[in-house]
Amino acid sequence: GNSVTQMEGPVTLSEEAFLTINCTYTATGYPSLFWYVQYPGEGLQLLLKATKADDKGSNKGFEATYRKETTSFHLEKGSVQVSDSAVYFCALQETSGSRLTFGEGTQLTVNP
Amino acid sequence: DAGITQSPRHKVTETGTPVTLRCHQTENHRYMYWYRQDPGHGLRLIHYSYGVKDTDKGEVSDGYSVSRSKTEDFLLTLESATSSQTSVYFCAISEGATSLEQFFGPGTRLTVL
């Protein structure tokens, strides 16, 4: 079956530091890949997505590239802010409308 | 923001009692989902619906049932709540046919004592 593995957290950084959160996946087909973000007390929001190999998703300074050869979709940001403190989830979806398979989530805390 | 509401937002109940959680959408999206969120597990799919009266099981469906009698409402029922069902429950919706994105509700925190 499908699965998503995220780097273990929590992650604590200082403001303006570089962020990488690793995500690898196992899937039978060619899934679409997502990063969702959850701010305290809220539901999940889509951060970025990529639908095929070598696609790069980007939003709000975050980027992730769909790497089929390494089955990875690592999240990066060059300079984090305190407001980026949240839980980040990597997820995959086989087809439009089908279920999302989530990783465990990574708690990011950014200190001023 | 997508129009998704969940009720109640918080509930404390006792083991063995029935509980129903409601998800309401104003987007007329075809697909609706119920997930539970637990530490170390991310979100796991309980049940989903691909149309009125059309539902199917997810990966953690035991102890849960769902109903969807109209497009805008998707109900999740715990027939006899257990402490293992203490969790945060999220509803999500998706247009499905042309859009991959799922939009999530604010969540319901359920505590079973």
PDB file of all heavy atoms in Angstrom, chain A residues 28-66:
ATOM      1  N   THR A  28       2.213   2.729  -5.452  1.00  0.00           N
ATOM      2  CA  THR A  28       2.179   1.751  -6.526  1.00  0.00           C
ATOM      3  C   THR A  28       2.147   2.418  -7.893  1.00  0.00           C
ATOM      4  O   THR A  28       2.604   1.856  -8.865  1.00  0.00           O
ATOM      5  CB  THR A  28       0.957   0.828  -6.387  1.00  0.00           C
ATOM      6  OG1 THR A  28      -0.221   1.647  -6.273  1.00  0.00           O
ATOM      7  CG2 THR A  28       1.074  -0.025  -5.143  1.00  0.00           C
ATOM      8  N   GLY A  29       1.597   3.610  -7.975  1.00  0.00           N
ATOM      9  CA  GLY A  29       1.472   4.294  -9.258  1.00  0.00           C
ATOM     10  C   GLY A  29       2.293   5.568  -9.287  1.00  0.00           C
ATOM     11  O   GLY A  29       3.411   5.614  -8.764  1.00  0.00           O
ATOM     12  N   TYR A  30       1.706   6.605  -9.877  1.00  0.00           N
ATOM     13  CA  TYR A  30       2.363   7.901  -9.991  1.00  0.00           C
ATOM     14  C   TYR A  30       1.501   8.947  -9.290  1.00  0.00           C
ATOM     15  O   TYR A  30       0.697   9.614  -9.919  1.00  0.00           O
ATOM     16  CB  TYR A  30       2.575   8.245 -11.467  1.00  0.00           C
ATOM     17  CG  TYR A  30       3.422   7.213 -12.163  1.00  0.00           C
ATOM     18  CD1 TYR A  30       2.845   6.153 -12.847  1.00  0.00           C
ATOM     19  CD2 TYR A  30       4.811   7.285 -12.097  1.00  0.00           C
ATOM     20  CE1 TYR A  30       3.632   5.199 -13.466  1.00  0.00           C
ATOM     21  CE2 TYR A  30       5.606   6.338 -12.705  1.00  0.00           C
ATOM     22  CZ  TYR A  30       5.005   5.283 -13.392  1.00  0.00           C
ATOM     23  OH  TYR A  30       5.787   4.336 -13.985  1.00  0.00           O
ATOM     24  N   PRO A  31       1.693   9.068  -7.998  1.00  0.00           N
ATOM     25  CA  PRO A  31       0.786   9.927  -7.224  1.00  0.00           C
ATOM     26  C   PRO A  31       1.083  11.405  -7.399  1.00  0.00           C
ATOM     27  O   PRO A  31       2.139  11.787  -7.903  1.00  0.00           O
ATOM     28  CB  PRO A  31       1.083   9.508  -5.788  1.00  0.00           C
ATOM     29  CG  PRO A  31       2.530   9.101  -5.826  1.00  0.00           C
ATOM     30  CD  PRO A  31       2.719   8.447  -7.164  1.00  0.00           C
ATOM     31  N   SER A  32       0.151  12.216  -6.957  1.00  0.00           N
ATOM     32  CA  SER A  32       0.401  13.638  -6.744  1.00  0.00           C
ATOM     33  C   SER A  32       0.877  13.796  -5.302  1.00  0.00           C
ATOM     34  O   SER A  32       0.486  13.036  -4.418  1.00  0.00           O
ATOM     35  CB  SER A  32      -0.866  14.448  -6.978  1.00  0.00           C
ATOM     36  OG  SER A  32      -1.267  14.361  -8.322  1.00  0.00           O
ATOM     37  N   LEU A  33       1.727  14.807  -5.096  1.00  0.00           N
ATOM     38  CA  LEU A  33       2.329  15.015  -3.785  1.00  0.00           C
ATOM     39  C   LEU A  33       1.990  16.401  -3.258  1.00  0.00           C
ATOM     40  O   LEU A  33       1.883  17.360  -4.039  1.00  0.00           O
ATOM     41  CB  LEU A  33       3.854  14.847  -3.876  1.00  0.00           C
ATOM     42  CG  LEU A  33       4.329  13.481  -4.374  1.00  0.00           C
ATOM     43  CD1 LEU A  33       5.844  13.490  -4.558  1.00  0.00           C
ATOM     44  CD2 LEU A  33       3.921  12.377  -3.406  1.00  0.00           C
ATOM     45  N   PHE A  34       1.836  16.482  -1.941  1.00  0.00           N
ATOM     46  CA  PHE A  34       1.368  17.708  -1.307  1.00  0.00           C
ATOM     47  C   PHE A  34       2.146  17.983  -0.022  1.00  0.00           C
ATOM     48  O   PHE A  34       2.621  17.077   0.647  1.00  0.00           O
ATOM     49  CB  PHE A  34      -0.112  17.591  -0.914  1.00  0.00           C
ATOM     50  CG  PHE A  34      -1.035  17.223  -2.034  1.00  0.00           C
ATOM     51  CD1 PHE A  34      -1.193  15.909  -2.424  1.00  0.00           C
ATOM     52  CD2 PHE A  34      -1.760  18.202  -2.698  1.00  0.00           C
ATOM     53  CE1 PHE A  34      -2.049  15.561  -3.454  1.00  0.00           C
ATOM     54  CE2 PHE A  34      -2.615  17.870  -3.726  1.00  0.00           C
ATOM     55  CZ  PHE A  34      -2.764  16.549  -4.103  1.00  0.00           C
ATOM     56  N   TRP A  35       2.220  19.259   0.317  1.00  0.00           N
ATOM     57  CA  TRP A  35       2.558  19.683   1.659  1.00  0.00           C
ATOM     58  C   TRP A  35       1.383  20.498   2.194  1.00  0.00           C
ATOM     59  O   TRP A  35       0.931  21.448   1.545  1.00  0.00           O
ATOM     60  CB  TRP A  35       3.833  20.524   1.680  1.00  0.00           C
ATOM     61  CG  TRP A  35       5.077  19.705   1.683  1.00  0.00           C
ATOM     62  CD1 TRP A  35       5.879  19.413   0.628  1.00  0.00           C
ATOM     63  CD2 TRP A  35       5.665  19.050   2.810  1.00  0.00           C
ATOM     64  NE1 TRP A  35       6.918  18.617   1.024  1.00  0.00           N
ATOM     65  CE2 TRP A  35       6.817  18.379   2.359  1.00  0.00           C
ATOM     66  CE3 TRP A  35       5.329  18.969   4.171  1.00  0.00           C
ATOM     67  CZ2 TRP A  35       7.638  17.639   3.213  1.00  0.00           C
ATOM     68  CZ3 TRP A  35       6.138  18.233   5.015  1.00  0.00           C
ATOM     69  CH2 TRP A  35       7.283  17.579   4.532  1.00  0.00           C
ATOM     70  N   TYR A  36       0.915  20.072   3.377  1.00  0.00           N
ATOM     71  CA  TYR A  36      -0.121  20.812   4.090  1.00  0.00           C
ATOM     72  C   TYR A  36       0.498  21.416   5.348  1.00  0.00           C
ATOM     73  O   TYR A  36       1.432  20.849   5.934  1.00  0.00           O
ATOM     74  CB  TYR A  36      -1.279  19.893   4.504  1.00  0.00           C
ATOM     75  CG  TYR A  36      -2.271  19.616   3.406  1.00  0.00           C
ATOM     76  CD1 TYR A  36      -2.037  18.628   2.449  1.00  0.00           C
ATOM     77  CD2 TYR A  36      -3.465  20.335   3.325  1.00  0.00           C
ATOM     78  CE1 TYR A  36      -2.970  18.369   1.453  1.00  0.00           C
ATOM     79  CE2 TYR A  36      -4.396  20.085   2.335  1.00  0.00           C
ATOM     80  CZ  TYR A  36      -4.137  19.098   1.400  1.00  0.00           C
ATOM     81  OH  TYR A  36      -5.055  18.848   0.406  1.00  0.00           O
ATOM     82  N   VAL A  37      -0.070  22.542   5.799  1.00  0.00           N
ATOM     83  CA  VAL A  37       0.396  23.193   7.021  1.00  0.00           C
ATOM     84  C   VAL A  37      -0.784  23.360   7.972  1.00  0.00           C
ATOM     85  O   VAL A  37      -1.912  23.632   7.542  1.00  0.00           O
ATOM     86  CB  VAL A  37       1.065  24.557   6.718  1.00  0.00           C
ATOM     87  CG1 VAL A  37       0.115  25.507   6.004  1.00  0.00           C
ATOM     88  CG2 VAL A  37       1.598  25.201   7.992  1.00  0.00           C
ATOM     89  N   GLN A  38      -0.519  23.144   9.253  1.00  0.00           N
ATOM     90  CA  GLN A  38      -1.551  23.293  10.278  1.00  0.00           C
ATOM     91  C   GLN A  38      -1.054  24.254  11.345  1.00  0.00           C
ATOM     92  O   GLN A  38      -0.120  23.941  12.093  1.00  0.00           O
ATOM     93  CB  GLN A  38      -1.892  21.941  10.911  1.00  0.00           C
ATOM     94  CG  GLN A  38      -3.009  22.009  11.935  1.00  0.00           C
ATOM     95  CD  GLN A  38      -3.311  20.660  12.556  1.00  0.00           C
ATOM     96  OE1 GLN A  38      -2.429  19.814  12.703  1.00  0.00           O
ATOM     97  NE2 GLN A  38      -4.570  20.430  12.907  1.00  0.00           N
ATOM     98  N   TYR A  39      -1.676  25.427  11.416  1.00  0.00           N
ATOM     99  CA  TYR A  39      -1.356  26.389  12.458  1.00  0.00           C
ATOM    100  C   TYR A  39      -2.121  26.025  13.726  1.00  0.00           C
ATOM    101  O   TYR A  39      -3.157  25.355  13.656  1.00  0.00           O
ATOM    102  CB  TYR A  39      -1.687  27.802  11.998  1.00  0.00           C
ATOM    103  CG  TYR A  39      -0.881  28.220  10.788  1.00  0.00           C
ATOM    104  CD1 TYR A  39      -1.440  28.222   9.515  1.00  0.00           C
ATOM    105  CD2 TYR A  39       0.460  28.571  10.920  1.00  0.00           C
ATOM    106  CE1 TYR A  39      -0.688  28.571   8.401  1.00  0.00           C
ATOM    107  CE2 TYR A  39       1.219  28.918   9.807  1.00  0.00           C
ATOM    108  CZ  TYR A  39       0.629  28.906   8.563  1.00  0.00           C
ATOM    109  OH  TYR A  39       1.385  29.244   7.466  1.00  0.00           O
ATOM    110  N   PRO A  40      -1.637  26.439  14.876  1.00  0.00           N
ATOM    111  CA  PRO A  40      -2.251  26.042  16.148  1.00  0.00           C
ATOM    112  C   PRO A  40      -3.753  26.283  16.187  1.00  0.00           C
ATOM    113  O   PRO A  40      -4.229  27.371  15.872  1.00  0.00           O
ATOM    114  CB  PRO A  40      -1.510  26.911  17.170  1.00  0.00           C
ATOM    115  CG  PRO A  40      -0.174  27.166  16.546  1.00  0.00           C
ATOM    116  CD  PRO A  40      -0.442  27.284  15.068  1.00  0.00           C
ATOM    117  N   GLY A  41      -4.499  25.237  16.539  1.00  0.00           N
ATOM    118  CA  GLY A  41      -5.944  25.360  16.706  1.00  0.00           C
ATOM    119  C   GLY A  41      -6.728  25.409  15.419  1.00  0.00           C
ATOM    120  O   GLY A  41      -7.946  25.660  15.440  1.00  0.00           O
ATOM    121  N   GLU A  42      -6.079  25.169  14.282  1.00  0.00           N
ATOM    122  CA  GLU A  42      -6.769  25.267  13.000  1.00  0.00           C
ATOM    123  C   GLU A  42      -6.740  23.947  12.239  1.00  0.00           C
ATOM    124  O   GLU A  42      -6.039  23.010  12.616  1.00  0.00           O
ATOM    125  CB  GLU A  42      -6.130  26.364  12.147  1.00  0.00           C
ATOM    126  CG  GLU A  42      -6.199  27.747  12.771  1.00  0.00           C
ATOM    127  CD  GLU A  42      -5.617  28.811  11.863  1.00  0.00           C
ATOM    128  OE1 GLU A  42      -5.305  28.515  10.689  1.00  0.00           O
ATOM    129  OE2 GLU A  42      -5.475  29.958  12.330  1.00  0.00           O
ATOM    130  N   GLY A  43      -7.512  23.907  11.153  1.00  0.00           N
ATOM    131  CA  GLY A  43      -7.454  22.767  10.257  1.00  0.00           C
ATOM    132  C   GLY A  43      -6.254  22.872   9.337  1.00  0.00           C
ATOM    133  O   GLY A  43      -5.459  23.800   9.426  1.00  0.00           O
ATOM    134  N   LEU A  44      -6.120  21.900   8.440  1.00  0.00           N
ATOM    135  CA  LEU A  44      -4.985  21.883   7.515  1.00  0.00           C
ATOM    136  C   LEU A  44      -5.259  22.781   6.322  1.00  0.00           C
ATOM    137  O   LEU A  44      -6.388  22.875   5.829  1.00  0.00           O
ATOM    138  CB  LEU A  44      -4.727  20.458   7.013  1.00  0.00           C
ATOM    139  CG  LEU A  44      -3.933  19.544   7.926  1.00  0.00           C
ATOM    140  CD1 LEU A  44      -4.740  19.166   9.147  1.00  0.00           C
ATOM    141  CD2 LEU A  44      -3.501  18.294   7.174  1.00  0.00           C
ATOM    142  N   GLN A  45      -4.187  23.415   5.829  1.00  0.00           N
ATOM    143  CA  GLN A  45      -4.269  24.224   4.617  1.00  0.00           C
ATOM    144  C   GLN A  45      -3.239  23.707   3.632  1.00  0.00           C
ATOM    145  O   GLN A  45      -2.123  23.371   4.025  1.00  0.00           O
ATOM    146  CB  GLN A  45      -3.933  25.691   4.922  1.00  0.00           C
ATOM    147  CG  GLN A  45      -4.766  26.346   5.993  1.00  0.00           C
ATOM    148  CD  GLN A  45      -4.233  27.725   6.336  1.00  0.00           C
ATOM    149  OE1 GLN A  45      -3.565  28.377   5.509  1.00  0.00           O
ATOM    150  NE2 GLN A  45      -4.520  28.197   7.533  1.00  0.00           N
ATOM    151  N   LEU A  46      -3.627  23.674   2.366  1.00  0.00           N
ATOM    152  CA  LEU A  46      -2.673  23.268   1.345  1.00  0.00           C
ATOM    153  C   LEU A  46      -1.582  24.327   1.221  1.00  0.00           C
ATOM    154  O   LEU A  46      -1.861  25.511   1.027  1.00  0.00           O
ATOM    155  CB  LEU A  46      -3.372  23.080   0.003  1.00  0.00           C
ATOM    156  CG  LEU A  46      -2.473  22.680  -1.147  1.00  0.00           C
ATOM    157  CD1 LEU A  46      -1.885  21.292  -0.909  1.00  0.00           C
ATOM    158  CD2 LEU A  46      -3.252  22.696  -2.473  1.00  0.00           C
ATOM    159  N   LEU A  47      -0.310  23.891   1.283  1.00  0.00           N
ATOM    160  CA  LEU A  47       0.809  24.807   1.145  1.00  0.00           C
ATOM    161  C   LEU A  47       1.329  24.799  -0.295  1.00  0.00           C
ATOM    162  O   LEU A  47       1.515  25.846  -0.905  1.00  0.00           O
ATOM    163  CB  LEU A  47       1.929  24.417   2.106  1.00  0.00           C
ATOM    164  CG  LEU A  47       3.186  25.271   2.097  1.00  0.00           C
ATOM    165  CD1 LEU A  47       2.877  26.712   2.451  1.00  0.00           C
ATOM    166  CD2 LEU A  47       4.230  24.698   3.055  1.00  0.00           C
ATOM    167  N   LEU A  48       1.555  23.594  -0.833  1.00  0.00           N
ATOM    168  CA  LEU A  48       1.997  23.476  -2.220  1.00  0.00           C
ATOM    169  C   LEU A  48       1.768  22.052  -2.694  1.00  0.00           C
ATOM    170  O   LEU A  48       1.549  21.151  -1.889  1.00  0.00           O
ATOM    171  CB  LEU A  48       3.471  23.883  -2.369  1.00  0.00           C
ATOM    172  CG  LEU A  48       4.503  23.218  -1.475  1.00  0.00           C
ATOM    173  CD1 LEU A  48       4.962  21.895  -2.045  1.00  0.00           C
ATOM    174  CD2 LEU A  48       5.715  24.139  -1.285  1.00  0.00           C
ATOM    175  N   LYS A  49       1.855  21.871  -4.004  1.00  0.00           N
ATOM    176  CA  LYS A  49       1.631  20.539  -4.563  1.00  0.00           C
ATOM    177  C   LYS A  49       2.447  20.368  -5.832  1.00  0.00           C
ATOM    178  O   LYS A  49       2.899  21.345  -6.449  1.00  0.00           O
ATOM    179  CB  LYS A  49       0.146  20.334  -4.874  1.00  0.00           C
ATOM    180  CG  LYS A  49      -0.372  21.217  -6.006  1.00  0.00           C
ATOM    181  CD  LYS A  49      -1.858  21.007  -6.226  1.00  0.00           C
ATOM    182  CE  LYS A  49      -2.371  21.915  -7.347  1.00  0.00           C
ATOM    183  NZ  LYS A  49      -3.844  21.835  -7.493  1.00  0.00           N
ATOM    184  N   ALA A  50       2.621  19.103  -6.227  1.00  0.00           N
ATOM    185  CA  ALA A  50       3.270  18.763  -7.495  1.00  0.00           C
ATOM    186  C   ALA A  50       2.591  17.511  -8.026  1.00  0.00           C
ATOM    187  O   ALA A  50       2.340  16.570  -7.267  1.00  0.00           O
ATOM    188  CB  ALA A  50       4.766  18.526  -7.303  1.00  0.00           C
ATOM    189  N   THR A  51       2.285  17.494  -9.289  1.00  0.00           N
ATOM    190  CA  THR A  51       1.474  16.407  -9.835  1.00  0.00           C
ATOM    191  C   THR A  51       2.252  15.411 -10.678  1.00  0.00           C
ATOM    192  O   THR A  51       1.735  14.338 -11.000  1.00  0.00           O
ATOM    193  CB  THR A  51       0.318  16.964 -10.671  1.00  0.00           C
ATOM    194  OG1 THR A  51       0.868  17.764 -11.716  1.00  0.00           O
ATOM    195  CG2 THR A  51      -0.614  17.813  -9.816  1.00  0.00           C
ATOM    196  N   LYS A  52       3.495  15.732 -11.053  1.00  0.00           N
ATOM    197  CA  LYS A  52       4.279  14.768 -11.822  1.00  0.00           C
ATOM    198  C   LYS A  52       5.755  14.969 -11.546  1.00  0.00           C
ATOM    199  O   LYS A  52       6.184  16.002 -11.015  1.00  0.00           O
ATOM    200  CB  LYS A  52       3.979  14.878 -13.307  1.00  0.00           C
ATOM    201  CG  LYS A  52       4.292  16.210 -13.928  1.00  0.00           C
ATOM    202  CD  LYS A  52       3.880  16.207 -15.392  1.00  0.00           C
ATOM    203  CE  LYS A  52       4.318  17.470 -16.109  1.00  0.00           C
ATOM    204  NZ  LYS A  52       3.683  18.682 -15.576  1.00  0.00           N
ATOM    205  N   ALA A  53       6.528  13.968 -11.944  1.00  0.00           N
ATOM    206  CA  ALA A  53       7.972  13.964 -11.686  1.00  0.00           C
ATOM    207  C   ALA A  53       8.636  15.229 -12.218  1.00  0.00           C
ATOM    208  O   ALA A  53       8.305  15.721 -13.299  1.00  0.00           O
ATOM    209  CB  ALA A  53       8.601  12.730 -12.308  1.00  0.00           C
ATOM    210  N   ASP A  54       9.551  15.754 -11.400  1.00  0.00           N
ATOM    211  CA  ASP A  54      10.348  16.952 -11.683  1.00  0.00           C
ATOM    212  C   ASP A  54       9.576  18.255 -11.544  1.00  0.00           C
ATOM    213  O   ASP A  54      10.163  19.332 -11.685  1.00  0.00           O
ATOM    214  CB  ASP A  54      11.005  16.885 -13.061  1.00  0.00           C
ATOM    215  CG  ASP A  54      11.941  15.703 -13.191  1.00  0.00           C
ATOM    216  OD1 ASP A  54      12.594  15.351 -12.193  1.00  0.00           O
ATOM    217  OD2 ASP A  54      11.990  15.101 -14.282  1.00  0.00           O
ATOM    218  N   ASP A  55       8.283  18.177 -11.256  1.00  0.00           N
ATOM    219  CA  ASP A  55       7.524  19.400 -10.973  1.00  0.00           C
ATOM    220  C   ASP A  55       8.032  20.016  -9.683  1.00  0.00           C
ATOM    221  O   ASP A  55       8.377  19.310  -8.731  1.00  0.00           O
ATOM    222  CB  ASP A  55       6.038  19.079 -10.785  1.00  0.00           C
ATOM    223  CG  ASP A  55       5.245  19.181 -12.064  1.00  0.00           C
ATOM    224  OD1 ASP A  55       5.857  19.487 -13.116  1.00  0.00           O
ATOM    225  OD2 ASP A  55       4.025  18.974 -12.007  1.00  0.00           O
ATOM    226  N   LYS A  56       8.038  21.336  -9.616  1.00  0.00           N
ATOM    227  CA  LYS A  56       8.367  22.040  -8.380  1.00  0.00           C
ATOM    228  C   LYS A  56       7.136  22.804  -7.928  1.00  0.00           C
ATOM    229  O   LYS A  56       6.592  23.616  -8.687  1.00  0.00           O
ATOM    230  CB  LYS A  56       9.530  23.004  -8.579  1.00  0.00           C
ATOM    231  CG  LYS A  56       9.858  23.819  -7.325  1.00  0.00           C
ATOM    232  CD  LYS A  56      10.943  24.864  -7.577  1.00  0.00           C
ATOM    233  CE  LYS A  56      12.302  24.262  -7.643  1.00  0.00           C
ATOM    234  NZ  LYS A  56      13.374  25.298  -7.708  1.00  0.00           N
ATOM    235  N   GLY A  57       6.699  22.536  -6.708  1.00  0.00           N
ATOM    236  CA  GLY A  57       5.632  23.321  -6.116  1.00  0.00           C
ATOM    237  C   GLY A  57       6.243  24.419  -5.276  1.00  0.00           C
ATOM    238  O   GLY A  57       7.293  24.237  -4.656  1.00  0.00           O
ATOM    239  N   SER A  58       5.587  25.587  -5.255  1.00  0.00           N
ATOM    240  CA  SER A  58       6.113  26.692  -4.454  1.00  0.00           C
ATOM    241  C   SER A  58       4.983  27.578  -3.980  1.00  0.00           C
ATOM    242  O   SER A  58       3.969  27.751  -4.669  1.00  0.00           O
ATOM    243  CB  SER A  58       7.133  27.503  -5.247  1.00  0.00           C
ATOM    244  OG  SER A  58       6.527  28.066  -6.391  1.00  0.00           O
ATOM    245  N   ASN A  59       5.179  28.156  -2.786  1.00  0.00           N
ATOM    246  CA  ASN A  59       4.180  29.051  -2.219  1.00  0.00           C
ATOM    247  C   ASN A  59       4.764  29.682  -0.962  1.00  0.00           C
ATOM    248  O   ASN A  59       5.394  28.985  -0.150  1.00  0.00           O
ATOM    249  CB  ASN A  59       2.904  28.274  -1.866  1.00  0.00           C
ATOM    250  CG  ASN A  59       1.784  29.177  -1.397  1.00  0.00           C
ATOM    251  OD1 ASN A  59       1.710  30.352  -1.740  1.00  0.00           O
ATOM    252  ND2 ASN A  59       0.887  28.628  -0.607  1.00  0.00           N
ATOM    253  N   LYS A  60       4.585  30.963  -0.795  1.00  0.00           N
ATOM    254  CA  LYS A  60       5.005  31.684   0.419  1.00  0.00           C
ATOM    255  C   LYS A  60       6.481  31.476   0.742  1.00  0.00           C
ATOM    256  O   LYS A  60       6.865  31.448   1.919  1.00  0.00           O
ATOM    257  CB  LYS A  60       4.166  31.260   1.623  1.00  0.00           C
ATOM    258  CG  LYS A  60       2.677  31.514   1.456  1.00  0.00           C
ATOM    259  CD  LYS A  60       1.908  31.085   2.684  1.00  0.00           C
ATOM    260  CE  LYS A  60       0.419  31.318   2.516  1.00  0.00           C
ATOM    261  NZ  LYS A  60      -0.354  30.896   3.696  1.00  0.00           N
ATOM    262  N   GLY A  61       7.327  31.291  -0.258  1.00  0.00           N
ATOM    263  CA  GLY A  61       8.758  31.097  -0.035  1.00  0.00           C
ATOM    264  C   GLY A  61       9.150  29.647   0.184  1.00  0.00           C
ATOM    265  O   GLY A  61      10.337  29.324   0.224  1.00  0.00           O
ATOM    266  N   PHE A  62       8.165  28.754   0.318  1.00  0.00           N
ATOM    267  CA  PHE A  62       8.439  27.324   0.452  1.00  0.00           C
ATOM    268  C   PHE A  62       8.502  26.686  -0.939  1.00  0.00           C
ATOM    269  O   PHE A  62       7.784  27.088  -1.845  1.00  0.00           O
ATOM    270  CB  PHE A  62       7.331  26.637   1.257  1.00  0.00           C
ATOM    271  CG  PHE A  62       7.289  27.003   2.715  1.00  0.00           C
ATOM    272  CD1 PHE A  62       6.548  28.094   3.139  1.00  0.00           C
ATOM    273  CD2 PHE A  62       7.991  26.269   3.648  1.00  0.00           C
ATOM    274  CE1 PHE A  62       6.503  28.446   4.473  1.00  0.00           C
ATOM    275  CE2 PHE A  62       7.948  26.598   5.000  1.00  0.00           C
ATOM    276  CZ  PHE A  62       7.206  27.698   5.401  1.00  0.00           C
ATOM    277  N   GLU A  63       9.361  25.669  -1.058  1.00  0.00           N
ATOM    278  CA  GLU A  63       9.477  24.932  -2.311  1.00  0.00           C
ATOM    279  C   GLU A  63       9.631  23.448  -2.023  1.00  0.00           C
ATOM    280  O   GLU A  63      10.165  23.062  -0.981  1.00  0.00           O
ATOM    281  CB  GLU A  63      10.716  25.379  -3.099  1.00  0.00           C
ATOM    282  CG  GLU A  63      10.673  26.787  -3.609  1.00  0.00           C
ATOM    283  CD  GLU A  63      11.917  27.107  -4.427  1.00  0.00           C
ATOM    284  OE1 GLU A  63      12.941  26.402  -4.256  1.00  0.00           O
ATOM    285  OE2 GLU A  63      11.868  28.059  -5.220  1.00  0.00           O
ATOM    286  N   ALA A  64       9.193  22.629  -2.987  1.00  0.00           N
ATOM    287  CA  ALA A  64       9.442  21.193  -2.922  1.00  0.00           C
ATOM    288  C   ALA A  64       9.434  20.664  -4.339  1.00  0.00           C
ATOM    289  O   ALA A  64       8.584  21.060  -5.148  1.00  0.00           O
ATOM    290  CB  ALA A  64       8.386  20.475  -2.078  1.00  0.00           C
ATOM    291  N   THR A  65      10.364  19.746  -4.651  1.00  0.00           N
ATOM    292  CA  THR A  65      10.474  19.182  -5.986  1.00  0.00           C
ATOM    293  C   THR A  65      10.163  17.700  -5.947  1.00  0.00           C
ATOM    294  O   THR A  65      10.684  16.963  -5.102  1.00  0.00           O
ATOM    295  CB  THR A  65      11.880  19.402  -6.562  1.00  0.00           C
ATOM    296  OG1 THR A  65      12.139  20.816  -6.612  1.00  0.00           O
ATOM    297  CG2 THR A  65      11.986  18.822  -7.965  1.00  0.00           C
ATOM    298  N   TYR A  66       9.318  17.260  -6.858  1.00  0.00           N
ATOM    299  CA  TYR A  66       8.893  15.864  -6.976  1.00  0.00           C
ATOM    300  C   TYR A  66      10.046  15.076  -7.608  1.00  0.00           C
ATOM    301  O   TYR A  66      10.320  15.210  -8.799  1.00  0.00           O
ATOM    302  CB  TYR A  66       7.648  15.835  -7.861  1.00  0.00           C
ATOM    303  CG  TYR A  66       6.886  14.551  -7.974  1.00  0.00           C
ATOM    304  CD1 TYR A  66       5.507  14.602  -8.097  1.00  0.00           C
ATOM    305  CD2 TYR A  66       7.482  13.296  -8.022  1.00  0.00           C
ATOM    306  CE1 TYR A  66       4.743  13.455  -8.249  1.00  0.00           C
ATOM    307  CE2 TYR A  66       6.747  12.149  -8.166  1.00  0.00           C
ATOM    308  CZ  TYR A  66       5.373  12.227  -8.286  1.00  0.00           C
ATOM    309  OH  TYR A  66       4.630  11.083  -8.440  1.00  0.00           O
TER     310      TYR A  66
END
